[in-house]
PDB file of all heavy atoms in Angstrom:
ATOM      1  N   PRO A  35      -3.560   1.799   1.524  1.00 76.00           N
ATOM      2  CA  PRO A  35      -2.863   0.705   2.213  1.00 76.00           C
ATOM      3  C   PRO A  35      -1.859   0.022   1.289  1.00 76.00           C
ATOM      4  O   PRO A  35      -2.072  -0.078   0.082  1.00 76.00           O
ATOM      5  CB  PRO A  35      -4.006  -0.245   2.586  1.00 76.00           C
ATOM      6  CG  PRO A  35      -5.041  -0.009   1.536  1.00 76.00           C
ATOM      7  CD  PRO A  35      -4.933   1.433   1.141  1.00 76.00           C
ATOM      8  N   LYS A  36      -0.734  -0.409   1.860  1.00 73.00           N
ATOM      9  CA  LYS A  36       0.252  -1.208   1.143  1.00 73.00           C
ATOM     10  C   LYS A  36       0.535  -2.463   1.964  1.00 73.00           C
ATOM     11  O   LYS A  36       0.521  -2.427   3.193  1.00 73.00           O
ATOM     12  CB  LYS A  36       1.558  -0.434   0.948  1.00 73.00           C
ATOM     13  CG  LYS A  36       1.430   0.814   0.112  1.00 73.00           C
ATOM     14  CD  LYS A  36       2.804   1.330  -0.294  1.00 73.00           C
ATOM     15  CE  LYS A  36       3.651   1.677   0.905  1.00 73.00           C
ATOM     16  NZ  LYS A  36       4.990   2.185   0.513  1.00 73.00           N
ATOM     17  N   VAL A  37       0.785  -3.577   1.280  1.00 67.00           N
ATOM     18  CA  VAL A  37       1.080  -4.830   1.968  1.00 67.00           C
ATOM     19  C   VAL A  37       2.397  -5.390   1.469  1.00 67.00           C
ATOM     20  O   VAL A  37       2.842  -5.113   0.353  1.00 67.00           O
ATOM     21  CB  VAL A  37      -0.044  -5.871   1.765  1.00 67.00           C
ATOM     22  CG1 VAL A  37      -1.330  -5.396   2.418  1.00 67.00           C
ATOM     23  CG2 VAL A  37      -0.268  -6.150   0.293  1.00 67.00           C
ATOM     24  N   ALA A  38       3.036  -6.193   2.309  1.00 65.00           N
ATOM     25  CA  ALA A  38       4.318  -6.791   1.965  1.00 65.00           C
ATOM     26  C   ALA A  38       4.124  -8.075   1.170  1.00 65.00           C
ATOM     27  O   ALA A  38       3.007  -8.585   1.045  1.00 65.00           O
ATOM     28  CB  ALA A  38       5.110  -7.077   3.245  1.00 65.00           C
ATOM     29  N   GLN A  39       5.211  -8.609   0.637  1.00 68.00           N
ATOM     30  CA  GLN A  39       5.163  -9.886  -0.053  1.00 68.00           C
ATOM     31  C   GLN A  39       5.108 -11.030   0.948  1.00 68.00           C
ATOM     32  O   GLN A  39       5.645 -10.934   2.048  1.00 68.00           O
ATOM     33  CB  GLN A  39       6.389 -10.066  -0.952  1.00 68.00           C
ATOM     34  CG  GLN A  39       6.423  -9.151  -2.155  1.00 68.00           C
ATOM     35  CD  GLN A  39       7.626  -9.428  -3.043  1.00 68.00           C
ATOM     36  OE1 GLN A  39       8.666  -9.871  -2.569  1.00 68.00           O
ATOM     37  NE2 GLN A  39       7.465  -9.188  -4.327  1.00 68.00           N
ATOM     38  N   MET A  40       4.457 -12.115   0.559  1.00 70.00           N
ATOM     39  CA  MET A  40       4.423 -13.320   1.379  1.00 70.00           C
ATOM     40  C   MET A  40       5.242 -14.419   0.721  1.00 70.00           C
ATOM     41  O   MET A  40       5.433 -14.420  -0.506  1.00 70.00           O
ATOM     42  CB  MET A  40       2.981 -13.790   1.585  1.00 70.00           C
ATOM     43  CG  MET A  40       2.148 -12.891   2.462  1.00 70.00           C
ATOM     44  SD  MET A  40       0.542 -13.625   2.849  1.00 70.00           S
ATOM     45  CE  MET A  40      -0.147 -12.351   3.906  1.00 70.00           C
ATOM     46  N   THR A  41       5.733 -15.343   1.527  1.00 73.00           N
ATOM     47  CA  THR A  41       6.547 -16.456   1.043  1.00 73.00           C
ATOM     48  C   THR A  41       5.791 -17.761   1.235  1.00 73.00           C
ATOM     49  O   THR A  41       5.289 -18.045   2.333  1.00 73.00           O
ATOM     50  CB  THR A  41       7.882 -16.526   1.791  1.00 73.00           C
ATOM     51  OG1 THR A  41       8.599 -15.293   1.612  1.00 73.00           O
ATOM     52  CG2 THR A  41       8.742 -17.667   1.269  1.00 73.00           C
ATOM     53  N   ILE A  42       5.689 -18.545   0.180  1.00 76.00           N
ATOM     54  CA  ILE A  42       5.041 -19.848   0.249  1.00 76.00           C
ATOM     55  C   ILE A  42       6.115 -20.917   0.458  1.00 76.00           C
ATOM     56  O   ILE A  42       7.117 -20.963  -0.274  1.00 76.00           O
ATOM     57  CB  ILE A  42       4.245 -20.134  -1.036  1.00 76.00           C
ATOM     58  CG1 ILE A  42       3.202 -19.029  -1.266  1.00 76.00           C
ATOM     59  CG2 ILE A  42       3.577 -21.498  -0.971  1.00 76.00           C
ATOM     60  CD1 ILE A  42       2.206 -18.870  -0.146  1.00 76.00           C
ATOM     61  N   SER A  43       5.927 -21.784   1.445  1.00 73.00           N
ATOM     62  CA  SER A  43       6.938 -22.769   1.838  1.00 73.00           C
ATOM     63  C   SER A  43       6.612 -24.161   1.301  1.00 73.00           C
ATOM     64  O   SER A  43       5.448 -24.484   1.018  1.00 73.00           O
ATOM     65  CB  SER A  43       7.037 -22.836   3.370  1.00 73.00           C
ATOM     66  OG  SER A  43       7.308 -21.558   3.912  1.00 73.00           O
ATOM     67  N   ASP A  44       7.656 -24.970   1.168  1.00 74.00           N
ATOM     68  CA  ASP A  44       7.467 -26.380   0.846  1.00 74.00           C
ATOM     69  C   ASP A  44       6.877 -27.086   2.059  1.00 74.00           C
ATOM     70  O   ASP A  44       7.217 -26.772   3.212  1.00 74.00           O
ATOM     71  CB  ASP A  44       8.801 -27.029   0.472  1.00 74.00           C
ATOM     72  CG  ASP A  44       9.387 -26.464  -0.813  1.00 74.00           C
ATOM     73  OD1 ASP A  44       8.580 -26.096  -1.693  1.00 74.00           O
ATOM     74  OD2 ASP A  44      10.625 -26.369  -0.924  1.00 74.00           O
ATOM     75  N   LEU A  45       6.018 -28.049   1.817  1.00 71.00           N
ATOM     76  CA  LEU A  45       5.362 -28.784   2.901  1.00 71.00           C
ATOM     77  C   LEU A  45       5.774 -30.246   2.886  1.00 71.00           C
ATOM     78  O   LEU A  45       6.201 -30.787   1.861  1.00 71.00           O
ATOM     79  CB  LEU A  45       3.839 -28.675   2.764  1.00 71.00           C
ATOM     80  CG  LEU A  45       3.240 -27.260   2.758  1.00 71.00           C
ATOM     81  CD1 LEU A  45       1.731 -27.338   2.586  1.00 71.00           C
ATOM     82  CD2 LEU A  45       3.619 -26.505   4.013  1.00 71.00           C
ATOM     83  N   THR A  46       5.657 -30.871   4.047  1.00 76.00           N
ATOM     84  CA  THR A  46       5.919 -32.301   4.194  1.00 76.00           C
ATOM     85  C   THR A  46       4.629 -32.988   4.580  1.00 76.00           C
ATOM     86  O   THR A  46       3.932 -32.548   5.512  1.00 76.00           O
ATOM     87  CB  THR A  46       6.985 -32.558   5.276  1.00 76.00           C
ATOM     88  OG1 THR A  46       8.199 -31.873   4.910  1.00 76.00           O
ATOM     89  CG2 THR A  46       7.266 -34.052   5.409  1.00 76.00           C
ATOM     90  N   GLU A  47       4.297 -34.040   3.878  1.00 79.00           N
ATOM     91  CA  GLU A  47       3.049 -34.753   4.125  1.00 79.00           C
ATOM     92  C   GLU A  47       2.962 -35.203   5.582  1.00 79.00           C
ATOM     93  O   GLU A  47       3.919 -35.754   6.143  1.00 79.00           O
ATOM     94  CB  GLU A  47       2.945 -35.967   3.205  1.00 79.00           C
ATOM     95  CG  GLU A  47       1.637 -36.723   3.348  1.00 79.00           C
ATOM     96  CD  GLU A  47       1.568 -37.932   2.436  1.00 79.00           C
ATOM     97  OE1 GLU A  47       2.519 -38.177   1.675  1.00 79.00           O
ATOM     98  OE2 GLU A  47       0.545 -38.643   2.502  1.00 79.00           O
ATOM     99  N   GLY A  48       1.825 -34.906   6.181  1.00 72.00           N
ATOM    100  CA  GLY A  48       1.581 -35.328   7.550  1.00 72.00           C
ATOM    101  C   GLY A  48       2.095 -34.375   8.600  1.00 72.00           C
ATOM    102  O   GLY A  48       1.923 -34.620   9.800  1.00 72.00           O
ATOM    103  N   GLN A  49       2.746 -33.305   8.194  1.00 75.00           N
ATOM    104  CA  GLN A  49       3.254 -32.332   9.156  1.00 75.00           C
ATOM    105  C   GLN A  49       2.498 -31.009   9.017  1.00 75.00           C
ATOM    106  O   GLN A  49       2.132 -30.600   7.915  1.00 75.00           O
ATOM    107  CB  GLN A  49       4.754 -32.088   8.947  1.00 75.00           C
ATOM    108  CG  GLN A  49       5.611 -33.291   9.278  1.00 75.00           C
ATOM    109  CD  GLN A  49       7.094 -32.962   9.204  1.00 75.00           C
ATOM    110  OE1 GLN A  49       7.487 -31.814   9.041  1.00 75.00           O
ATOM    111  NE2 GLN A  49       7.930 -33.992   9.327  1.00 75.00           N
ATOM    112  N   ASP A  50       2.281 -30.358  10.157  1.00 72.00           N
ATOM    113  CA  ASP A  50       1.543 -29.102  10.178  1.00 72.00           C
ATOM    114  C   ASP A  50       2.382 -27.992   9.542  1.00 72.00           C
ATOM    115  O   ASP A  50       3.617 -28.054   9.516  1.00 72.00           O
ATOM    116  CB  ASP A  50       1.216 -28.730  11.627  1.00 72.00           C
ATOM    117  CG  ASP A  50       0.113 -27.682  11.714  1.00 72.00           C
ATOM    118  OD1 ASP A  50      -0.402 -27.287  10.654  1.00 72.00           O
ATOM    119  OD2 ASP A  50      -0.213 -27.267  12.836  1.00 72.00           O
ATOM    120  N   ILE A  51       1.706 -26.983   9.022  1.00 74.00           N
ATOM    121  CA  ILE A  51       2.391 -25.790   8.513  1.00 74.00           C
ATOM    122  C   ILE A  51       2.842 -24.961   9.706  1.00 74.00           C
ATOM    123  O   ILE A  51       2.027 -24.540  10.532  1.00 74.00           O
ATOM    124  CB  ILE A  51       1.456 -24.959   7.601  1.00 74.00           C
ATOM    125  CG1 ILE A  51       0.987 -25.792   6.407  1.00 74.00           C
ATOM    126  CG2 ILE A  51       2.163 -23.691   7.129  1.00 74.00           C
ATOM    127  CD1 ILE A  51      -0.007 -25.081   5.516  1.00 74.00           C
ATOM    128  N   VAL A  52       4.140 -24.738   9.788  1.00 68.00           N
ATOM    129  CA  VAL A  52       4.674 -24.038  10.962  1.00 68.00           C
ATOM    130  C   VAL A  52       4.981 -22.572  10.682  1.00 68.00           C
ATOM    131  O   VAL A  52       5.029 -21.751  11.597  1.00 68.00           O
ATOM    132  CB  VAL A  52       5.947 -24.745  11.481  1.00 68.00           C
ATOM    133  CG1 VAL A  52       5.596 -26.144  11.985  1.00 68.00           C
ATOM    134  CG2 VAL A  52       7.006 -24.816  10.399  1.00 68.00           C
ATOM    135  N   ASP A  53       5.206 -22.232   9.408  1.00 75.00           N
ATOM    136  CA  ASP A  53       5.538 -20.843   9.073  1.00 75.00           C
ATOM    137  C   ASP A  53       4.280 -20.002   8.953  1.00 75.00           C
ATOM    138  O   ASP A  53       3.329 -20.376   8.256  1.00 75.00           O
ATOM    139  CB  ASP A  53       6.316 -20.776   7.754  1.00 75.00           C
ATOM    140  CG  ASP A  53       7.671 -21.445   7.864  1.00 75.00           C
ATOM    141  OD1 ASP A  53       8.246 -21.423   8.958  1.00 75.00           O
ATOM    142  OD2 ASP A  53       8.131 -22.002   6.842  1.00 75.00           O
ATOM    143  N   THR A  54       4.263 -18.861   9.639  1.00 73.00           N
ATOM    144  CA  THR A  54       3.144 -17.925   9.565  1.00 73.00           C
ATOM    145  C   THR A  54       3.607 -16.650   8.862  1.00 73.00           C
ATOM    146  O   THR A  54       4.614 -16.057   9.245  1.00 73.00           O
ATOM    147  CB  THR A  54       2.631 -17.564  10.973  1.00 73.00           C
ATOM    148  OG1 THR A  54       2.226 -18.762  11.637  1.00 73.00           O
ATOM    149  CG2 THR A  54       1.456 -16.610  10.888  1.00 73.00           C
ATOM    150  N   GLU A  55       2.876 -16.269   7.859  1.00 71.00           N
ATOM    151  CA  GLU A  55       3.251 -15.084   7.087  1.00 71.00           C
ATOM    152  C   GLU A  55       2.579 -13.832   7.643  1.00 71.00           C
ATOM    153  O   GLU A  55       1.446 -13.889   8.125  1.00 71.00           O
ATOM    154  CB  GLU A  55       2.869 -15.269   5.610  1.00 71.00           C
ATOM    155  CG  GLU A  55       3.562 -16.434   4.932  1.00 71.00           C
ATOM    156  CD  GLU A  55       5.056 -16.320   4.973  1.00 71.00           C
ATOM    157  OE1 GLU A  55       5.579 -15.214   4.735  1.00 71.00           O
ATOM    158  OE2 GLU A  55       5.725 -17.334   5.262  1.00 71.00           O
ATOM    159  N   GLU A  56       3.285 -12.726   7.548  1.00 73.00           N
ATOM    160  CA  GLU A  56       2.767 -11.438   8.008  1.00 73.00           C
ATOM    161  C   GLU A  56       2.185 -10.658   6.834  1.00 73.00           C
ATOM    162  O   GLU A  56       2.755 -10.636   5.738  1.00 73.00           O
ATOM    163  CB  GLU A  56       3.879 -10.604   8.655  1.00 73.00           C
ATOM    164  CG  GLU A  56       4.460 -11.216   9.916  1.00 73.00           C
ATOM    165  CD  GLU A  56       3.468 -11.236  11.064  1.00 73.00           C
ATOM    166  OE1 GLU A  56       2.533 -10.401  11.060  1.00 73.00           O
ATOM    167  OE2 GLU A  56       3.622 -12.087  11.956  1.00 73.00           O
ATOM    168  N   ILE A  57       1.046 -10.047   7.077  1.00 69.00           N
ATOM    169  CA  ILE A  57       0.463  -9.185   6.042  1.00 69.00           C
ATOM    170  C   ILE A  57       1.368  -7.988   5.777  1.00 69.00           C
ATOM    171  O   ILE A  57       1.529  -7.537   4.646  1.00 69.00           O
ATOM    172  CB  ILE A  57      -0.946  -8.710   6.465  1.00 69.00           C
ATOM    173  CG1 ILE A  57      -1.888  -9.919   6.579  1.00 69.00           C
ATOM    174  CG2 ILE A  57      -1.496  -7.696   5.458  1.00 69.00           C
ATOM    175  CD1 ILE A  57      -3.264  -9.564   7.087  1.00 69.00           C
ATOM    176  N   GLY A  58       1.979  -7.462   6.819  1.00 64.00           N
ATOM    177  CA  GLY A  58       2.908  -6.349   6.653  1.00 64.00           C
ATOM    178  C   GLY A  58       2.260  -5.099   6.091  1.00 64.00           C
ATOM    179  O   GLY A  58       2.809  -4.454   5.198  1.00 64.00           O
ATOM    180  N   MET A  59       1.093  -4.756   6.606  1.00 69.00           N
ATOM    181  CA  MET A  59       0.365  -3.612   6.054  1.00 69.00           C
ATOM    182  C   MET A  59       0.900  -2.286   6.576  1.00 69.00           C
ATOM    183  O   MET A  59       1.182  -2.134   7.761  1.00 69.00           O
ATOM    184  CB  MET A  59      -1.122  -3.730   6.377  1.00 69.00           C
ATOM    185  CG  MET A  59      -1.955  -2.575   5.811  1.00 69.00           C
ATOM    186  SD  MET A  59      -3.732  -2.758   6.097  1.00 69.00           S
ATOM    187  CE  MET A  59      -4.103  -4.107   4.960  1.00 69.00           C
ATOM    188  N   SER A  60       1.049  -1.353   5.659  1.00 77.00           N
ATOM    189  CA  SER A  60       1.374   0.023   6.010  1.00 77.00           C
ATOM    190  C   SER A  60       0.472   0.924   5.179  1.00 77.00           C
ATOM    191  O   SER A  60      -0.203   0.466   4.255  1.00 77.00           O
ATOM    192  CB  SER A  60       2.847   0.332   5.727  1.00 77.00           C
ATOM    193  OG  SER A  60       3.130   0.152   4.355  1.00 77.00           O
ATOM    194  N   THR A  61       0.444   2.191   5.500  1.00 75.00           N
ATOM    195  CA  THR A  61      -0.447   3.106   4.781  1.00 75.00           C
ATOM    196  C   THR A  61       0.295   4.368   4.367  1.00 75.00           C
ATOM    197  O   THR A  61       1.286   4.772   4.980  1.00 75.00           O
ATOM    198  CB  THR A  61      -1.666   3.504   5.637  1.00 75.00           C
ATOM    199  OG1 THR A  61      -1.202   4.150   6.835  1.00 75.00           O
ATOM    200  CG2 THR A  61      -2.503   2.290   5.987  1.00 75.00           C
ATOM    201  N   VAL A  62      -0.190   4.971   3.291  1.00 80.00           N
ATOM    202  CA  VAL A  62       0.275   6.269   2.836  1.00 80.00           C
ATOM    203  C   VAL A  62      -0.910   7.226   2.925  1.00 80.00           C
ATOM    204  O   VAL A  62      -1.975   6.950   2.363  1.00 80.00           O
ATOM    205  CB  VAL A  62       0.788   6.207   1.389  1.00 80.00           C
ATOM    206  CG1 VAL A  62       1.155   7.604   0.891  1.00 80.00           C
ATOM    207  CG2 VAL A  62       1.984   5.287   1.279  1.00 80.00           C
ATOM    208  N   SER A  63      -0.750   8.333   3.651  1.00 84.00           N
ATOM    209  CA  SER A  63      -1.821   9.317   3.810  1.00 84.00           C
ATOM    210  C   SER A  63      -1.419  10.618   3.119  1.00 84.00           C
ATOM    211  O   SER A  63      -0.322  11.126   3.344  1.00 84.00           O
ATOM    212  CB  SER A  63      -2.097   9.586   5.291  1.00 84.00           C
ATOM    213  OG  SER A  63      -2.505   8.401   5.957  1.00 84.00           O
ATOM    214  N   VAL A  64      -2.308  11.134   2.282  1.00 87.00           N
ATOM    215  CA  VAL A  64      -2.004  12.363   1.544  1.00 87.00           C
ATOM    216  C   VAL A  64      -3.198  13.302   1.584  1.00 87.00           C
ATOM    217  O   VAL A  64      -4.355  12.868   1.574  1.00 87.00           O
ATOM    218  CB  VAL A  64      -1.618  12.072   0.080  1.00 87.00           C
ATOM    219  CG1 VAL A  64      -0.259  11.421   0.013  1.00 87.00           C
ATOM    220  CG2 VAL A  64      -2.643  11.194  -0.600  1.00 87.00           C
ATOM    221  N   THR A  65      -2.904  14.589   1.621  1.00 93.00           N
ATOM    222  CA  THR A  65      -3.930  15.633   1.653  1.00 93.00           C
ATOM    223  C   THR A  65      -3.641  16.658   0.561  1.00 93.00           C
ATOM    224  O   THR A  65      -2.518  17.177   0.483  1.00 93.00           O
ATOM    225  CB  THR A  65      -3.950  16.345   3.017  1.00 93.00           C
ATOM    226  OG1 THR A  65      -4.179  15.382   4.052  1.00 93.00           O
ATOM    227  CG2 THR A  65      -5.042  17.395   3.062  1.00 93.00           C
ATOM    228  N   PRO A  66      -4.588  16.941  -0.311  1.00 92.00           N
ATOM    229  CA  PRO A  66      -4.340  17.897  -1.396  1.00 92.00           C
ATOM    230  C   PRO A  66      -4.224  19.327  -0.881  1.00 92.00           C
ATOM    231  O   PRO A  66      -4.681  19.660   0.212  1.00 92.00           O
ATOM    232  CB  PRO A  66      -5.576  17.730  -2.293  1.00 92.00           C
ATOM    233  CG  PRO A  66      -6.641  17.238  -1.376  1.00 92.00           C
ATOM    234  CD  PRO A  66      -5.952  16.384  -0.357  1.00 92.00           C
ATOM    235  N   SER A  67      -3.603  20.173  -1.688  1.00 94.00           N
ATOM    236  CA  SER A  67      -3.489  21.598  -1.361  1.00 94.00           C
ATOM    237  C   SER A  67      -3.763  22.413  -2.615  1.00 94.00           C
ATOM    238  O   SER A  67      -3.672  21.916  -3.739  1.00 94.00           O
ATOM    239  CB  SER A  67      -2.100  21.925  -0.802  1.00 94.00           C
ATOM    240  OG  SER A  67      -1.095  21.568  -1.726  1.00 94.00           O
ATOM    241  N   GLU A  68      -4.064  23.685  -2.434  1.00 94.00           N
ATOM    242  CA  GLU A  68      -4.494  24.543  -3.533  1.00 94.00           C
ATOM    243  C   GLU A  68      -3.321  25.177  -4.271  1.00 94.00           C
ATOM    244  O   GLU A  68      -2.296  25.516  -3.670  1.00 94.00           O
ATOM    245  CB  GLU A  68      -5.407  25.653  -3.018  1.00 94.00           C
ATOM    246  CG  GLU A  68      -6.796  25.190  -2.627  1.00 94.00           C
ATOM    247  CD  GLU A  68      -7.684  26.352  -2.256  1.00 94.00           C
ATOM    248  OE1 GLU A  68      -7.263  27.179  -1.420  1.00 94.00           O
ATOM    249  OE2 GLU A  68      -8.791  26.455  -2.802  1.00 94.00           O
ATOM    250  N   VAL A  69      -3.486  25.339  -5.571  1.00 95.00           N
ATOM    251  CA  VAL A  69      -2.585  26.153  -6.394  1.00 95.00           C
ATOM    252  C   VAL A  69      -3.480  27.028  -7.260  1.00 95.00           C
ATOM    253  O   VAL A  69      -4.662  26.731  -7.450  1.00 95.00           O
ATOM    254  CB  VAL A  69      -1.660  25.289  -7.279  1.00 95.00           C
ATOM    255  CG1 VAL A  69      -0.819  24.349  -6.438  1.00 95.00           C
ATOM    256  CG2 VAL A  69      -2.477  24.496  -8.303  1.00 95.00           C
ATOM    257  N   GLY A  70      -2.934  28.107  -7.790  1.00 93.00           N
ATOM    258  CA  GLY A  70      -3.783  28.957  -8.624  1.00 93.00           C
ATOM    259  C   GLY A  70      -3.067  30.166  -9.182  1.00 93.00           C
ATOM    260  O   GLY A  70      -1.894  30.410  -8.894  1.00 93.00           O
ATOM    261  N   GLY A  71      -3.780  30.895 -10.012  1.00 90.00           N
ATOM    262  CA  GLY A  71      -3.251  32.112 -10.609  1.00 90.00           C
ATOM    263  C   GLY A  71      -4.399  33.015 -11.050  1.00 90.00           C
ATOM    264  O   GLY A  71      -5.562  32.604 -11.088  1.00 90.00           O
ATOM    265  N   LYS A  72      -4.051  34.250 -11.380  1.00 89.00           N
ATOM    266  CA  LYS A  72      -5.065  35.228 -11.764  1.00 89.00           C
ATOM    267  C   LYS A  72      -4.654  35.944 -13.037  1.00 89.00           C
ATOM    268  O   LYS A  72      -3.482  36.268 -13.234  1.00 89.00           O
ATOM    269  CB  LYS A  72      -5.262  36.256 -10.635  1.00 89.00           C
ATOM    270  CG  LYS A  72      -6.311  37.319 -10.942  1.00 89.00           C
ATOM    271  CD  LYS A  72      -6.575  38.192  -9.721  1.00 89.00           C
ATOM    272  CE  LYS A  72      -5.418  39.125  -9.420  1.00 89.00           C
ATOM    273  NZ  LYS A  72      -5.747  40.089  -8.344  1.00 89.00           N
ATOM    274  N   VAL A  73      -5.632  36.171 -13.910  1.00 88.00           N
ATOM    275  CA  VAL A  73      -5.419  36.932 -15.141  1.00 88.00           C
ATOM    276  C   VAL A  73      -6.395  38.103 -15.152  1.00 88.00           C
ATOM    277  O   VAL A  73      -7.577  37.923 -14.832  1.00 88.00           O
ATOM    278  CB  VAL A  73      -5.654  36.061 -16.386  1.00 88.00           C
ATOM    279  CG1 VAL A  73      -5.510  36.898 -17.653  1.00 88.00           C
ATOM    280  CG2 VAL A  73      -4.673  34.903 -16.428  1.00 88.00           C
ATOM    281  N   ILE A  74      -5.900  39.283 -15.494  1.00 90.00           N
ATOM    282  CA  ILE A  74      -6.756  40.462 -15.597  1.00 90.00           C
ATOM    283  C   ILE A  74      -6.964  40.785 -17.073  1.00 90.00           C
ATOM    284  O   ILE A  74      -5.992  40.988 -17.812  1.00 90.00           O
ATOM    285  CB  ILE A  74      -6.144  41.666 -14.864  1.00 90.00           C
ATOM    286  CG1 ILE A  74      -6.071  41.377 -13.355  1.00 90.00           C
ATOM    287  CG2 ILE A  74      -6.948  42.927 -15.131  1.00 90.00           C
ATOM    288  CD1 ILE A  74      -5.392  42.466 -12.556  1.00 90.00           C
ATOM    289  N   ILE A  75      -8.223  40.803 -17.495  1.00 87.00           N
ATOM    290  CA  ILE A  75      -8.569  41.114 -18.881  1.00 87.00           C
ATOM    291  C   ILE A  75      -9.328  42.440 -18.887  1.00 87.00           C
ATOM    292  O   ILE A  75     -10.450  42.523 -18.396  1.00 87.00           O
ATOM    293  CB  ILE A  75      -9.435  40.002 -19.498  1.00 87.00           C
ATOM    294  CG1 ILE A  75      -8.700  38.654 -19.391  1.00 87.00           C
ATOM    295  CG2 ILE A  75      -9.766  40.317 -20.948  1.00 87.00           C
ATOM    296  CD1 ILE A  75      -9.513  37.485 -19.878  1.00 87.00           C
ATOM    297  N   THR A  76      -8.725  43.459 -19.414  1.00 89.00           N
ATOM    298  CA  THR A  76      -9.319  44.793 -19.364  1.00 89.00           C
ATOM    299  C   THR A  76     -10.428  44.939 -20.394  1.00 89.00           C
ATOM    300  O   THR A  76     -10.478  44.223 -21.402  1.00 89.00           O
ATOM    301  CB  THR A  76      -8.255  45.864 -19.624  1.00 89.00           C
ATOM    302  OG1 THR A  76      -7.754  45.715 -20.955  1.00 89.00           O
ATOM    303  CG2 THR A  76      -7.107  45.749 -18.630  1.00 89.00           C
ATOM    304  N   TYR A  77     -11.304  45.899 -20.147  1.00 87.00           N
ATOM    305  CA  TYR A  77     -12.369  46.198 -21.107  1.00 87.00           C
ATOM    306  C   TYR A  77     -11.769  46.549 -22.470  1.00 87.00           C
ATOM    307  O   TYR A  77     -12.264  46.137 -23.520  1.00 87.00           O
ATOM    308  CB  TYR A  77     -13.201  47.391 -20.630  1.00 87.00           C
ATOM    309  CG  TYR A  77     -13.992  47.170 -19.363  1.00 87.00           C
ATOM    310  CD1 TYR A  77     -14.623  48.249 -18.742  1.00 87.00           C
ATOM    311  CD2 TYR A  77     -14.123  45.907 -18.793  1.00 87.00           C
ATOM    312  CE1 TYR A  77     -15.367  48.078 -17.590  1.00 87.00           C
ATOM    313  CE2 TYR A  77     -14.854  45.723 -17.639  1.00 87.00           C
ATOM    314  CZ  TYR A  77     -15.475  46.805 -17.035  1.00 87.00           C
ATOM    315  OH  TYR A  77     -16.207  46.635 -15.900  1.00 87.00           O
TER     316      TYR A  77
END
């Protein structure tokens, strides 16, 4: 998961906080895959 930056606002005494910040979550999904090689060692 990845989240966005949030902004903190200046407040005024006696007034409600009006700005709502978004989490802004996104995700990165990854799946591994195989790699390989072969060596032949003779008698």
Side-chain angles (χ1 to χ4, degrees):
K36 297 193 300 180
V37 295
Q39 291 183 331
M40 291 188 179
T41 301
I42 302 301
S43 304
D44 294 327
L45 302 179
T46 301
E47 183 181 359
Q49 293 186 8
D50 197 2
I51 300 176
V52 295
D53 295 329
T54 301
E55 299 302 317
E56 296 292 336
I57 296 176
M59 181 176 289
S60 60
T61 60
V62 175
S63 299
V64 289
T65 302
S67 58
E68 287 186 309
V69 302
K72 180 173 72 173
V73 176
I74 295 176
I75 304 176
T76 64
Y77 294 171

